[in-house]
Amino acid sequence: MRKLKNDELNRLDLKEYKTKEKHPVFIVLDNLRSAHNVGSIFRTCDAFFIEKICLCGITPYPPKKEIRKTALGATQSVDWQYYKDTSSCLKELKANDVRIVSIEQAENATQLQYAEIEDNQKTALVFGHEVSGVSQDCINLSDEVVEIPQHGTKHSFNVSVSLGIVLWQLMSK
């Protein structure tokens, strides 16, 4: 085996990326505090052809140096919008027939391995604050809650890691 060089990866340029069809998935960030996490999420969303990121409440949004550092240009490729609060974002999405799925530990949550996104169903995946998670208001507006199974002593993954796990699992089905 030989590691591929960057010019062998056949990556799209920005113009090509913008014209490609995206997965009808919206990533909703409910009051994240870390700009580095937000930048990492932009990069992951670029890799999975996500339609849009909704940055809500205290969540940092471009242009910020810390986002730019970890996003590596993905703030240019992935569409995004800022919302003053997450509830108004979710209500707007619901009004446009978007299914709301919060990623959180909750009663009657669906375990990630059993969760699915239907091919043409517009879906918003809600990820929460690094300490307190997805707010109860968002849970109340959700059509479903999905939980990532965990077995260690900690009760959560880093939010950008959670996003990667969830997208990989849902997109690989």
Side-chain angles (χ1 to χ4, degrees), residues 22-36:
K22 308 297 184 292
H23 293 290
V25 173
F26 300 80
I27 299 301
V28 178
L29 303 182
D30 178 28
N31 290 297
L32 270 62
R33 63 183 181 182
S34 167
H36 291 106

Side-chain angles (χ1 to χ4, degrees), residues 26-155:
F26 300 80
I27 299 301
V28 178
L29 303 182
D30 178 28
N31 290 297
L32 270 62
R33 63 183 181 182
S34 167
H36 291 106
N37 281 335
V38 172
S40 180
I41 288 168
F42 265 95
R43 246 169 97 185
T44 302
C45 288
D46 174 279
F48 282 102
F49 280 121
I50 298 304
E51 189 166 321
K52 185 178 189 180
I53 300 174
C54 302
L55 306 152
C56 304
I58 66 166
T59 304
Y61 54 89
K64 291 230 182 310
K65 178 180 66 171
E66 296 86 358
I67 294 173
R68 190 173 48 249
K69 181 179 180 180
T70 52
L72 295 179
T75 57
Q76 304 300 313
S77 57
V78 179
D79 290 339
W80 63 273
Q81 183 174 349
Y82 174 75
Y83 292 83
K84 186 176 177 184
D85 64 89
T86 313
S87 294
S88 62
C89 170
L90 295 181
K91 288 174 184 173
E92 180 181 308
L93 290 169
K94 276 179 117 34
N96 288 297
D97 298 321
V98 177
R99 185 170 167 257
I100 308 298
V101 178
S102 287
I103 311 303
E104 186 56 88
Q105 298 162 339
E107 293 175 340
N108 301 313
T110 302
Q111 296 296 294
L112 178 59
Q113 65 269 32
Y114 304 114
E116 293 186 17
I117 293 179
E118 304 221 3
D119 281 340
N120 293 316
Q121 170 68 54
K122 290 187 260 181
T123 303
L125 301 173
V126 184
F127 293 84
H129 184 273
E130 290 87 347
V131 174
S132 56
V134 176
S135 71
Q136 187 62 51
D137 288 343
C138 293
I139 299 290
N140 295 343
L141 290 167
S142 297
D143 298 301
E144 182 178 12
V145 177
V146 169
E147 181 176 339
I148 303 169
Q150 300 169 55
H151 307 290
T153 61
K154 301 303 172 196
H155 299 288

